[in-house]
Amino acid sequence: MGALLLVAATMVVACLATTVITTRLHWVRREPCGALALWVGAVLAVPLAAVGALVMLAADPHSSTAELLPVTAAAVLGAALALWASARVGRELWAINRVARRRRRRHEMLIDLFATEHAGQPGVAVIPDQRLFAYSVPCVFSGRIVMSQGAIDALDEHSLRAVIAHEQAHLRERHHLVAQLGTAMARSFPTTCAAVLSTRVSEFLELCADCSARRRAGAPATLMALTEFGDIPTPVTGMPAGGTALAVRLAALRGPSRCCNKLCSRAIQLGGAALPVIPALALTLNWMIDLCPWWW
């Protein structure tokens, strides 16, 4: 019974988190950081819960009795379904990440050839181009921010700080991995819901980076920088400064409320981080009950 409840509860939470991401747009756009953390935690908890349920069933001597046989069969079926779905997403995620790494390596070689280091901003590579663009190229430990000379000339000091803070948020919080997870789910299950989910994840990642830029440089400077960049195409090697859901991002910056209420966002992020831990805690508790029945 405990294994069935573990799988069922985790899958329900994952489905609810996905539903919130794709439908409750007003709330999620106010708390994008917490909503994304909740969704990622729920997705990671699904395979862990499936493995934990199978281990609990294997360790339970009463799971094969006639009375519990239907419950055991349902738990095994649910765990197998969760593992199958996780394996499909994991295979697509591995393929996407491998292609992205190869593209980034080639792109970094071109940056080393044609770009120069910004004098006042370490870690920012400047390309001698008058077109406006700025994006980040992630790597294992840190990453690089790439900007055109035209963008640096067009932005004032505060707007430039907002753009750099936006890209630093992408690098620091590993947004490219979350975007790859959304793309992997859309490719694994080519449905309308999965496609909408991938689009929403990309949109909310940009909103999260805008929140960081807003805290660092202020809403007016971030709004001015985003308006200056306009609808820039998304580069295949990194995360852009403009582009994704521009109207939504401008509306969020023009809104009177602060983005990501600190207390609410932290609470949701802690809940999302705790979701993958719950299957391990349930498995440990089950073992403790079996080993020390006198304690309980």
Side-chain angles (χ1 to χ4, degrees):
M1 181 63 72
L4 179 61
L5 290 176
L6 178 63
V7 174
T10 306
M11 294 184 72
V12 166
V13 171
C15 292
L16 286 177
T18 303
T19 304
V20 167
I21 284 285
T22 53
T23 60
R24 303 293 181 180
L25 296 182
H26 180 69
W27 174 80
V28 175
R29 284 170 179 165
R30 285 190 291 127
E31 300 291 341
C33 304
L36 280 174
L38 181 64
W39 175 70
V40 172
V43 170
L44 294 179
V46 169
L48 295 177
V51 172
L54 292 177
V55 173
M56 290 170 64
L57 288 174
D60 187 3
H62 305 292
S63 59
S64 58
T65 58
E67 294 82 3
L68 295 179
L69 192 58
V71 177
T72 302
V76 170
L77 181 61
L81 180 63
L83 288 177
W84 171 77
S86 302
R88 289 195 62 176
V89 174
R91 184 182 61 184
E92 288 293 335
L93 183 60
W94 175 261
I96 292 170
N97 190 266
R98 184 176 56 186
V99 173
R101 287 200 310 268
R102 189 161 55 242
R103 286 176 173 173
R104 285 198 297 267
R105 282 196 296 267
R106 289 200 301 263
H107 196 73
E108 287 176 355
M109 292 174 59
L110 294 174
I111 292 173
D112 293 335
L113 285 174
F114 297 106
T116 57
E117 194 78 10
H118 192 281
Q121 296 289 343
V124 177
V126 181
I127 294 180
D129 193 328
Q130 291 306 311
R131 292 175 296 178
L132 299 182
F133 60 82
Y135 57 91
S136 56
V137 182
C139 65
V140 177
F141 298 105
S142 57
R144 305 177 70 174
I145 298 173
V146 181
M147 296 186 68
S148 66
Q149 186 62 50
I152 293 177
D153 296 337
L155 299 173
D156 59 17
E157 179 183 356
H158 300 289
S159 298
L160 181 61
R161 188 185 308 128
V163 171
I164 293 175
H166 177 100
E167 300 305 330
Q168 286 175 342
H170 281 318
L171 295 174
R172 182 178 61 252
E173 299 172 12
R174 300 291 191 268
H175 284 172
H176 64 288
L177 297 179
V178 182
Q180 289 174 4
L181 179 59
T183 304
M185 294 186 70
R187 291 186 182 180
S188 301
F189 306 101
T191 60
T192 304
C193 180
V196 171
L197 173 64
S198 179
T199 303
R200 297 294 183 222
V201 167
S202 299
E203 174 186 325
F204 299 145
L205 289 174
E206 294 302 321
L207 289 174
C208 289
D210 287 342
C211 281
S212 181
R214 183 175 184 172
R215 288 191 293 267
R216 186 81 60 87
T222 307
L223 183 62
M224 185 180 300
L226 190 57
T227 306
E228 189 72 33
F229 274 85
D231 198 8
I232 299 175
T234 303
V236 297
T237 52
M239 307 293 291
T244 308
L246 182 63
V248 173
R249 295 168 61 189
L250 291 174
L253 289 171
R254 292 189 180 115
S257 60
R258 294 172 53 191
C259 61
C260 289
N261 180 274
K262 192 170 184 180
L263 182 61
C264 180
S265 180
R266 290 293 181 269
I268 299 174
Q269 288 176 15
L270 286 175
L275 283 176
V277 183
I278 291 176
L281 291 178
L283 184 59
T284 303
L285 183 62
N286 184 72
W287 280 344
M288 291 178 64
I289 293 175
D290 290 339
L291 292 175
C292 308
W294 51 268
W295 179 265
W296 309 93

